[in-house]
Amino acid sequence: MAYGLLALGLSSVLALVTWTVVSEYLTEQRQSSAMVETADNAAAFHYGLFGAPQPCRPARERAECGSPTPNPNVSIIELLNSLPSTDSAASMVYYDDQWYSLTGKPSDLPADLIDGVRSGSTSHRRITVGGQQVLAVGVPMSRRGEAFFEWHPLESLDNTLRTLKFTLVAAALVAALIGLAVGRLASTLALRPLAALTRVADAVARGQLDARLQVENDRDLGGLARSFNQTAANLERRVAADARFAGDVSHELRTPLMTMLNSMQLIQNHRAELPGPVREPVELLGDDLDRFRRLVIDLLEISRDDGGDQGSREIVRIADLVRAAADATAGRDVTTVAPEAEGLTLQADKRRLERVIANLVENAEDHAGGCKGVGVEAGGLGVVITVDDSGPGIPADDRDRIFERFGRGETSNRSRGVGLGLAIVARHVQWHHGTIQVTERPGGGARFIVELPAKTT
């Protein structure tokens, strides 16, 4: 904007100066040429009417010198008609107390202009005759009170000035546009390091911790780039260390957990032999052991992703995978596949994608009153998978927070979860270059919508 406004200001000043100088010069030139032509025609008229001036006689006859006698055989109208052809639109003469004219009307001349010329001074005036601008020029004759007038069209001058005005305005606008283009280029070059910083910071915020700035040698932003890269490297090492720690702890917990689960299964197989007061604590312990099992599995999944596990991609039929994972998790048929989605495939990590569907259905079953249905349709990025539940829904303020680690909704049914299942879902969907969001289900409850870049085989 600064470059554009500067260019517009400079070009406007230059255009204004050019317009002032050129228009004044052209106007003065037109006036000068019109006055010269009128004076020449007045001289030619005088010559035709009185003939060549005679030399003065001796002193006793000097009173007659300068008072020529008109030729009585000359017609003034014919004389006006015989004047040299010029660009004048009309010629008229005030002679012997009479007006003589070919085309113009003396009544169109301003009275003060006529009086001034008849008094002996050459004058000109811009007037309008018949809707056209003309320059009226008057030249006094040899005898006082007589005058010769012509008016000259200004249409050519006005057209020239109009063309000049449009040209200067267009040039000022073009200069402003060029200034904007140059300013945009200059600002882009100047702010390119900041744009790179923004992109890398956004990548780090989205979990791409290996993103780095490549402008460490920039004399202006080199220090900032080095500090940012060092911070990102420290963050990457910290996250990797935390992931290894979580993975190591989870692996260490699996052995005692399996021992406790097997022991609990053995106890539950003989629950009929247990005393009544012991059965309820055993059931509560079984529920807590199941939650502990899910927590360990989720921690292993999170640590695997944080540790940089790239997985393996293979072509999967989305409809078959969703149907198998959702129905198995719910323990009943809950999947509905649209006909146009039956043939959709995706280059996917089968384990991750199954975990996405299983976690969403499990979340609906355990924390939201049950899964109302799972839908698979073509659309969006390629395929749209919806999971509906029967719960109270998720408040708008919580719809982004529930996908964070240990982020849980504020409703009592959802608060029993550990808050890792939906975080894993979001990570796996992002890994497949898809999107996930939660909205209200028509009729009540929540609807989770997953879009994946699928295509038809």
PDB file of all heavy atoms in Angstrom, residues 45 49 76-77 80 92-101 106 114 118 141 143 145-149:
ATOM      1  N   PHE A  45      -8.605  42.454 -45.913  1.00  0.00           N
ATOM      2  CA  PHE A  45      -9.871  43.161 -46.142  1.00  0.00           C
ATOM      3  C   PHE A  45      -9.615  44.648 -46.390  1.00  0.00           C
ATOM      4  O   PHE A  45     -10.186  45.270 -47.306  1.00  0.00           O
ATOM      5  CB  PHE A  45     -10.791  42.974 -44.928  1.00  0.00           C
ATOM      6  CG  PHE A  45     -12.091  43.724 -45.020  1.00  0.00           C
ATOM      7  CD1 PHE A  45     -13.160  43.214 -45.726  1.00  0.00           C
ATOM      8  CD2 PHE A  45     -12.235  44.969 -44.415  1.00  0.00           C
ATOM      9  CE1 PHE A  45     -14.367  43.915 -45.822  1.00  0.00           C
ATOM     10  CE2 PHE A  45     -13.413  45.676 -44.499  1.00  0.00           C
ATOM     11  CZ  PHE A  45     -14.485  45.152 -45.198  1.00  0.00           C
ATOM     12  N   LEU A  49     -10.329  46.762 -49.815  1.00  0.00           N
ATOM     13  CA  LEU A  49     -11.305  47.856 -49.781  1.00  0.00           C
ATOM     14  C   LEU A  49     -10.666  49.183 -50.176  1.00  0.00           C
ATOM     15  O   LEU A  49     -11.277  49.979 -50.910  1.00  0.00           O
ATOM     16  CB  LEU A  49     -11.909  47.949 -48.376  1.00  0.00           C
ATOM     17  CG  LEU A  49     -12.990  49.015 -48.176  1.00  0.00           C
ATOM     18  CD1 LEU A  49     -14.194  48.740 -49.081  1.00  0.00           C
ATOM     19  CD2 LEU A  49     -13.434  49.048 -46.713  1.00  0.00           C
ATOM     20  N   ILE A  76     -18.527  44.824 -50.164  1.00  0.00           N
ATOM     21  CA  ILE A  76     -17.948  44.348 -48.891  1.00  0.00           C
ATOM     22  C   ILE A  76     -18.226  42.865 -48.683  1.00  0.00           C
ATOM     23  O   ILE A  76     -17.352  42.115 -48.214  1.00  0.00           O
ATOM     24  CB  ILE A  76     -18.498  45.204 -47.732  1.00  0.00           C
ATOM     25  CG1 ILE A  76     -17.985  46.652 -47.865  1.00  0.00           C
ATOM     26  CG2 ILE A  76     -18.063  44.619 -46.397  1.00  0.00           C
ATOM     27  CD1 ILE A  76     -18.458  47.582 -46.781  1.00  0.00           C
ATOM     28  N   ILE A  77     -19.441  42.388 -49.016  1.00  0.00           N
ATOM     29  CA  ILE A  77     -19.770  40.963 -48.855  1.00  0.00           C
ATOM     30  C   ILE A  77     -18.873  40.114 -49.741  1.00  0.00           C
ATOM     31  O   ILE A  77     -18.348  39.079 -49.310  1.00  0.00           O
ATOM     32  CB  ILE A  77     -21.253  40.725 -49.167  1.00  0.00           C
ATOM     33  CG1 ILE A  77     -22.139  41.478 -48.162  1.00  0.00           C
ATOM     34  CG2 ILE A  77     -21.573  39.227 -49.129  1.00  0.00           C
ATOM     35  CD1 ILE A  77     -21.948  41.062 -46.734  1.00  0.00           C
ATOM     36  N   LEU A  80     -15.486  40.030 -48.198  1.00  0.00           N
ATOM     37  CA  LEU A  80     -15.388  39.067 -47.085  1.00  0.00           C
ATOM     38  C   LEU A  80     -15.320  37.631 -47.602  1.00  0.00           C
ATOM     39  O   LEU A  80     -14.605  36.783 -47.058  1.00  0.00           O
ATOM     40  CB  LEU A  80     -16.593  39.224 -46.149  1.00  0.00           C
ATOM     41  CG  LEU A  80     -16.617  40.462 -45.262  1.00  0.00           C
ATOM     42  CD1 LEU A  80     -17.944  40.527 -44.498  1.00  0.00           C
ATOM     43  CD2 LEU A  80     -15.452  40.483 -44.293  1.00  0.00           C
ATOM     44  N   MET A  92     -16.820  38.864 -39.841  1.00  0.00           N
ATOM     45  CA  MET A  92     -17.775  39.979 -39.885  1.00  0.00           C
ATOM     46  C   MET A  92     -17.003  41.279 -39.653  1.00  0.00           C
ATOM     47  O   MET A  92     -15.918  41.263 -39.042  1.00  0.00           O
ATOM     48  CB  MET A  92     -18.874  39.781 -38.853  1.00  0.00           C
ATOM     49  CG  MET A  92     -18.406  39.740 -37.411  1.00  0.00           C
ATOM     50  SD  MET A  92     -19.661  39.050 -36.305  1.00  0.00           S
ATOM     51  CE  MET A  92     -19.566  37.333 -36.752  1.00  0.00           C
ATOM     52  N   VAL A  93     -17.569  42.374 -40.170  1.00  0.00           N
ATOM     53  CA  VAL A  93     -16.897  43.647 -40.078  1.00  0.00           C
ATOM     54  C   VAL A  93     -17.929  44.727 -39.746  1.00  0.00           C
ATOM     55  O   VAL A  93     -19.081  44.683 -40.220  1.00  0.00           O
ATOM     56  CB  VAL A  93     -16.152  43.980 -41.390  1.00  0.00           C
ATOM     57  CG1 VAL A  93     -17.113  44.111 -42.565  1.00  0.00           C
ATOM     58  CG2 VAL A  93     -15.317  45.244 -41.240  1.00  0.00           C
ATOM     59  N   TYR A  94     -17.486  45.621 -38.890  1.00  0.00           N
ATOM     60  CA  TYR A  94     -18.318  46.793 -38.607  1.00  0.00           C
ATOM     61  C   TYR A  94     -17.697  47.965 -39.360  1.00  0.00           C
ATOM     62  O   TYR A  94     -16.605  48.442 -39.008  1.00  0.00           O
ATOM     63  CB  TYR A  94     -18.352  47.076 -37.099  1.00  0.00           C
ATOM     64  CG  TYR A  94     -19.297  48.204 -36.718  1.00  0.00           C
ATOM     65  CD1 TYR A  94     -20.661  47.991 -36.647  1.00  0.00           C
ATOM     66  CD2 TYR A  94     -18.788  49.469 -36.448  1.00  0.00           C
ATOM     67  CE1 TYR A  94     -21.521  49.022 -36.298  1.00  0.00           C
ATOM     68  CE2 TYR A  94     -19.637  50.505 -36.100  1.00  0.00           C
ATOM     69  CZ  TYR A  94     -21.011  50.268 -36.025  1.00  0.00           C
ATOM     70  OH  TYR A  94     -21.873  51.289 -35.699  1.00  0.00           O
ATOM     71  N   TYR A  95     -18.379  48.394 -40.416  1.00  0.00           N
ATOM     72  CA  TYR A  95     -17.823  49.410 -41.303  1.00  0.00           C
ATOM     73  C   TYR A  95     -18.917  50.409 -41.677  1.00  0.00           C
ATOM     74  O   TYR A  95     -20.022  50.007 -42.054  1.00  0.00           O
ATOM     75  CB  TYR A  95     -17.255  48.745 -42.570  1.00  0.00           C
ATOM     76  CG  TYR A  95     -16.787  49.717 -43.608  1.00  0.00           C
ATOM     77  CD1 TYR A  95     -15.614  50.440 -43.437  1.00  0.00           C
ATOM     78  CD2 TYR A  95     -17.538  49.916 -44.779  1.00  0.00           C
ATOM     79  CE1 TYR A  95     -15.181  51.335 -44.409  1.00  0.00           C
ATOM     80  CE2 TYR A  95     -17.103  50.799 -45.740  1.00  0.00           C
ATOM     81  CZ  TYR A  95     -15.929  51.515 -45.557  1.00  0.00           C
ATOM     82  OH  TYR A  95     -15.521  52.412 -46.515  1.00  0.00           O
ATOM     83  N   ASP A  96     -18.548  51.655 -41.573  1.00  0.00           N
ATOM     84  CA  ASP A  96     -19.457  52.739 -41.958  1.00  0.00           C
ATOM     85  C   ASP A  96     -20.787  52.615 -41.221  1.00  0.00           C
ATOM     86  O   ASP A  96     -21.876  52.671 -41.846  1.00  0.00           O
ATOM     87  CB  ASP A  96     -19.660  52.724 -43.471  1.00  0.00           C
ATOM     88  CG  ASP A  96     -20.171  54.067 -43.997  1.00  0.00           C
ATOM     89  OD1 ASP A  96     -20.095  55.053 -43.238  1.00  0.00           O
ATOM     90  OD2 ASP A  96     -20.649  54.083 -45.148  1.00  0.00           O
ATOM     91  N   ASP A  97     -20.656  52.347 -39.905  1.00  0.00           N
ATOM     92  CA  ASP A  97     -21.816  52.258 -39.007  1.00  0.00           C
ATOM     93  C   ASP A  97     -22.769  51.123 -39.394  1.00  0.00           C
ATOM     94  O   ASP A  97     -23.979  51.172 -39.107  1.00  0.00           O
ATOM     95  CB  ASP A  97     -22.603  53.582 -38.988  1.00  0.00           C
ATOM     96  CG  ASP A  97     -21.778  54.721 -38.417  1.00  0.00           C
ATOM     97  OD1 ASP A  97     -20.918  54.436 -37.547  1.00  0.00           O
ATOM     98  OD2 ASP A  97     -21.977  55.878 -38.827  1.00  0.00           O
ATOM     99  N   GLN A  98     -22.227  50.052 -40.023  1.00  0.00           N
ATOM    100  CA  GLN A  98     -23.050  48.919 -40.416  1.00  0.00           C
ATOM    101  C   GLN A  98     -22.271  47.624 -40.176  1.00  0.00           C
ATOM    102  O   GLN A  98     -21.041  47.599 -40.213  1.00  0.00           O
ATOM    103  CB  GLN A  98     -23.427  48.994 -41.910  1.00  0.00           C
ATOM    104  CG  GLN A  98     -24.658  49.824 -42.192  1.00  0.00           C
ATOM    105  CD  GLN A  98     -25.064  49.664 -43.642  1.00  0.00           C
ATOM    106  OE1 GLN A  98     -24.390  50.166 -44.543  1.00  0.00           O
ATOM    107  NE2 GLN A  98     -26.160  48.993 -43.867  1.00  0.00           N
ATOM    108  N   TRP A  99     -23.055  46.582 -39.929  1.00  0.00           N
ATOM    109  CA  TRP A  99     -22.467  45.247 -39.777  1.00  0.00           C
ATOM    110  C   TRP A  99     -22.579  44.497 -41.099  1.00  0.00           C
ATOM    111  O   TRP A  99     -23.618  44.478 -41.729  1.00  0.00           O
ATOM    112  CB  TRP A  99     -23.181  44.434 -38.693  1.00  0.00           C
ATOM    113  CG  TRP A  99     -22.790  44.801 -37.297  1.00  0.00           C
ATOM    114  CD1 TRP A  99     -23.483  45.574 -36.441  1.00  0.00           C
ATOM    115  CD2 TRP A  99     -21.603  44.392 -36.633  1.00  0.00           C
ATOM    116  NE1 TRP A  99     -22.816  45.698 -35.245  1.00  0.00           N
ATOM    117  CE2 TRP A  99     -21.639  44.968 -35.338  1.00  0.00           C
ATOM    118  CE3 TRP A  99     -20.491  43.631 -36.973  1.00  0.00           C
ATOM    119  CZ2 TRP A  99     -20.632  44.790 -34.424  1.00  0.00           C
ATOM    120  CZ3 TRP A  99     -19.492  43.444 -36.049  1.00  0.00           C
ATOM    121  CH2 TRP A  99     -19.554  44.016 -34.783  1.00  0.00           C
ATOM    122  N   TYR A 100     -21.505  43.867 -41.485  1.00  0.00           N
ATOM    123  CA  TYR A 100     -21.477  43.020 -42.672  1.00  0.00           C
ATOM    124  C   TYR A 100     -20.969  41.643 -42.230  1.00  0.00           C
ATOM    125  O   TYR A 100     -19.924  41.553 -41.553  1.00  0.00           O
ATOM    126  CB  TYR A 100     -20.562  43.607 -43.745  1.00  0.00           C
ATOM    127  CG  TYR A 100     -21.023  44.955 -44.255  1.00  0.00           C
ATOM    128  CD1 TYR A 100     -20.571  46.126 -43.640  1.00  0.00           C
ATOM    129  CD2 TYR A 100     -21.881  45.046 -45.337  1.00  0.00           C
ATOM    130  CE1 TYR A 100     -20.974  47.361 -44.091  1.00  0.00           C
ATOM    131  CE2 TYR A 100     -22.301  46.303 -45.803  1.00  0.00           C
ATOM    132  CZ  TYR A 100     -21.844  47.446 -45.176  1.00  0.00           C
ATOM    133  OH  TYR A 100     -22.255  48.661 -45.622  1.00  0.00           O
ATOM    134  N   SER A 101     -21.682  40.578 -42.616  1.00  0.00           N
ATOM    135  CA  SER A 101     -21.312  39.232 -42.140  1.00  0.00           C
ATOM    136  C   SER A 101     -21.714  38.200 -43.167  1.00  0.00           C
ATOM    137  O   SER A 101     -22.712  38.356 -43.886  1.00  0.00           O
ATOM    138  CB  SER A 101     -21.993  38.931 -40.804  1.00  0.00           C
ATOM    139  OG  SER A 101     -21.747  37.611 -40.416  1.00  0.00           O
ATOM    140  N   PRO A 106     -23.540  39.170 -35.545  1.00  0.00           N
ATOM    141  CA  PRO A 106     -22.899  40.094 -34.605  1.00  0.00           C
ATOM    142  C   PRO A 106     -23.530  40.059 -33.224  1.00  0.00           C
ATOM    143  O   PRO A 106     -22.864  40.379 -32.227  1.00  0.00           O
ATOM    144  CB  PRO A 106     -23.091  41.461 -35.282  1.00  0.00           C
ATOM    145  CG  PRO A 106     -23.239  41.144 -36.734  1.00  0.00           C
ATOM    146  CD  PRO A 106     -23.969  39.843 -36.789  1.00  0.00           C
ATOM    147  N   ILE A 114     -16.995  44.154 -28.341  1.00  0.00           N
ATOM    148  CA  ILE A 114     -17.177  45.045 -29.494  1.00  0.00           C
ATOM    149  C   ILE A 114     -16.713  46.457 -29.149  1.00  0.00           C
ATOM    150  O   ILE A 114     -15.983  47.102 -29.929  1.00  0.00           O
ATOM    151  CB  ILE A 114     -18.650  45.042 -29.941  1.00  0.00           C
ATOM    152  CG1 ILE A 114     -19.056  43.639 -30.418  1.00  0.00           C
ATOM    153  CG2 ILE A 114     -18.880  46.067 -31.045  1.00  0.00           C
ATOM    154  CD1 ILE A 114     -20.529  43.511 -30.744  1.00  0.00           C
ATOM    155  N   ARG A 118     -13.648  48.460 -31.044  1.00  0.00           N
ATOM    156  CA  ARG A 118     -13.966  49.699 -31.753  1.00  0.00           C
ATOM    157  C   ARG A 118     -13.210  50.890 -31.167  1.00  0.00           C
ATOM    158  O   ARG A 118     -12.961  51.890 -31.855  1.00  0.00           O
ATOM    159  CB  ARG A 118     -15.459  49.963 -31.689  1.00  0.00           C
ATOM    160  CG  ARG A 118     -16.288  48.994 -32.560  1.00  0.00           C
ATOM    161  CD  ARG A 118     -17.759  49.351 -32.500  1.00  0.00           C
ATOM    162  NE  ARG A 118     -17.966  50.709 -33.018  1.00  0.00           N
ATOM    163  CZ  ARG A 118     -19.098  51.405 -32.876  1.00  0.00           C
ATOM    164  NH1 ARG A 118     -20.117  50.855 -32.224  1.00  0.00           N
ATOM    165  NH2 ARG A 118     -19.204  52.629 -33.370  1.00  0.00           N
ATOM    166  N   MET A 141      -9.917  48.554 -37.238  1.00  0.00           N
ATOM    167  CA  MET A 141      -9.580  48.954 -38.605  1.00  0.00           C
ATOM    168  C   MET A 141      -8.811  50.276 -38.564  1.00  0.00           C
ATOM    169  O   MET A 141      -8.547  50.840 -37.492  1.00  0.00           O
ATOM    170  CB  MET A 141     -10.857  49.086 -39.428  1.00  0.00           C
ATOM    171  CG  MET A 141     -11.672  47.785 -39.518  1.00  0.00           C
ATOM    172  SD  MET A 141     -10.883  46.536 -40.514  1.00  0.00           S
ATOM    173  CE  MET A 141     -11.129  47.274 -42.134  1.00  0.00           C
ATOM    174  N   ARG A 143      -9.767  53.235 -39.603  1.00  0.00           N
ATOM    175  CA  ARG A 143     -10.572  54.377 -39.159  1.00  0.00           C
ATOM    176  C   ARG A 143     -11.220  54.030 -37.825  1.00  0.00           C
ATOM    177  O   ARG A 143     -11.738  52.931 -37.636  1.00  0.00           O
ATOM    178  CB  ARG A 143     -11.637  54.715 -40.206  1.00  0.00           C
ATOM    179  CG  ARG A 143     -11.032  55.209 -41.513  1.00  0.00           C
ATOM    180  CD  ARG A 143     -12.063  55.825 -42.428  1.00  0.00           C
ATOM    181  NE  ARG A 143     -13.081  54.882 -42.832  1.00  0.00           N
ATOM    182  CZ  ARG A 143     -14.040  55.167 -43.734  1.00  0.00           C
ATOM    183  NH1 ARG A 143     -14.078  56.369 -44.302  1.00  0.00           N
ATOM    184  NH2 ARG A 143     -14.929  54.257 -44.047  1.00  0.00           N
ATOM    185  N   GLY A 145     -13.565  53.430 -34.804  1.00  0.00           N
ATOM    186  CA  GLY A 145     -14.949  52.996 -34.729  1.00  0.00           C
ATOM    187  C   GLY A 145     -15.263  51.830 -35.643  1.00  0.00           C
ATOM    188  O   GLY A 145     -16.334  51.246 -35.547  1.00  0.00           O
ATOM    189  N   GLU A 146     -14.349  51.479 -36.527  1.00  0.00           N
ATOM    190  CA  GLU A 146     -14.555  50.345 -37.422  1.00  0.00           C
ATOM    191  C   GLU A 146     -13.688  49.183 -36.931  1.00  0.00           C
ATOM    192  O   GLU A 146     -12.572  49.385 -36.445  1.00  0.00           O
ATOM    193  CB  GLU A 146     -14.199  50.725 -38.850  1.00  0.00           C
ATOM    194  CG  GLU A 146     -15.098  51.827 -39.405  1.00  0.00           C
ATOM    195  CD  GLU A 146     -14.678  52.245 -40.798  1.00  0.00           C
ATOM    196  OE1 GLU A 146     -13.619  51.753 -41.262  1.00  0.00           O
ATOM    197  OE2 GLU A 146     -15.390  53.055 -41.408  1.00  0.00           O
ATOM    198  N   ALA A 147     -14.230  47.978 -37.095  1.00  0.00           N
ATOM    199  CA  ALA A 147     -13.533  46.806 -36.532  1.00  0.00           C
ATOM    200  C   ALA A 147     -13.821  45.566 -37.365  1.00  0.00           C
ATOM    201  O   ALA A 147     -14.865  45.453 -38.009  1.00  0.00           O
ATOM    202  CB  ALA A 147     -13.952  46.580 -35.093  1.00  0.00           C
ATOM    203  N   PHE A 148     -12.889  44.632 -37.301  1.00  0.00           N
ATOM    204  CA  PHE A 148     -13.003  43.363 -38.023  1.00  0.00           C
ATOM    205  C   PHE A 148     -12.990  42.225 -36.983  1.00  0.00           C
ATOM    206  O   PHE A 148     -12.134  42.193 -36.096  1.00  0.00           O
ATOM    207  CB  PHE A 148     -11.823  43.206 -38.988  1.00  0.00           C
ATOM    208  CG  PHE A 148     -11.877  41.961 -39.804  1.00  0.00           C
ATOM    209  CD1 PHE A 148     -12.606  41.909 -40.989  1.00  0.00           C
ATOM    210  CD2 PHE A 148     -11.204  40.813 -39.394  1.00  0.00           C
ATOM    211  CE1 PHE A 148     -12.643  40.751 -41.749  1.00  0.00           C
ATOM    212  CE2 PHE A 148     -11.245  39.670 -40.148  1.00  0.00           C
ATOM    213  CZ  PHE A 148     -11.969  39.631 -41.338  1.00  0.00           C
ATOM    214  N   PHE A 149     -13.961  41.281 -37.106  1.00  0.00           N
ATOM    215  CA  PHE A 149     -14.103  40.203 -36.118  1.00  0.00           C
ATOM    216  C   PHE A 149     -14.097  38.847 -36.818  1.00  0.00           C
ATOM    217  O   PHE A 149     -14.621  38.704 -37.931  1.00  0.00           O
ATOM    218  CB  PHE A 149     -15.410  40.355 -35.334  1.00  0.00           C
ATOM    219  CG  PHE A 149     -15.479  41.581 -34.477  1.00  0.00           C
ATOM    220  CD1 PHE A 149     -15.992  42.782 -35.002  1.00  0.00           C
ATOM    221  CD2 PHE A 149     -15.042  41.568 -33.181  1.00  0.00           C
ATOM    222  CE1 PHE A 149     -16.053  43.916 -34.221  1.00  0.00           C
ATOM    223  CE2 PHE A 149     -15.108  42.706 -32.388  1.00  0.00           C
ATOM    224  CZ  PHE A 149     -15.615  43.880 -32.905  1.00  0.00           C
TER     225      PHE A 149
END
